Amino acid sequence: LSEFNPNDLDEKQWKNLGFTEKQIKTILKYKEIVGGNFKSKEQFKKCYAVSEEKYQSLILDQPSNL
C-alpha cells in the first residue's frame, strides 16, 4: 500500500478514489483556503466534502503521509 497524502493528489486521482467533480472542487478549494496544503489528518477531515466513511477508508485504513 502506498501512503495517502491528500496534498499530492490531482483532480484525476481524487476522481479515481471515488469522489464526484463537486466534491473534488470543494476539497481543492478548501485546501487552497487552508494555505495550499493540509497540515494534519484532522484538518483534512474538516473538509465537509469528505464523509466520515471515506475519511476512515483513506486515512485510518492506510498509512498516511500527513
Side-chain angles (χ1 to χ4, degrees):
L1 291 173
S2 60
E3 292 185 358
F4 176 75
N5 185 340
N7 296 314
D8 294 339
L9 303 180
D10 62 21
E11 289 186 42
K12 183 178 179 183
Q13 291 167 311
W14 284 110
K15 190 168 182 78
N16 289 340
L17 289 172
F19 288 92
T20 66
E21 294 291 327
K22 186 175 181 179
Q23 288 173 309
I24 295 166
K25 289 188 185 312
T26 301
I27 292 166
L28 295 177
K29 182 66 174 175
Y30 182 67
K31 181 177 154 187
E32 187 179 305
I33 289 169
V34 298
N37 281 307
F38 296 107
K39 308 279 189 279
S40 67
K41 293 177 187 180
E42 292 74 26
Q43 189 179 52
F44 173 67
K45 186 177 181 180
K46 288 180 183 178
C47 183
Y48 67 86
V50 181
S51 69
E52 181 64 29
E53 181 180 359
K54 190 60 122 173
Y55 174 81
Q56 296 281 336
S57 69
L58 293 173
I59 297 291
L60 300 181
D61 294 343
Q62 300 182 35
S64 175
N65 200 18
L66 276 182

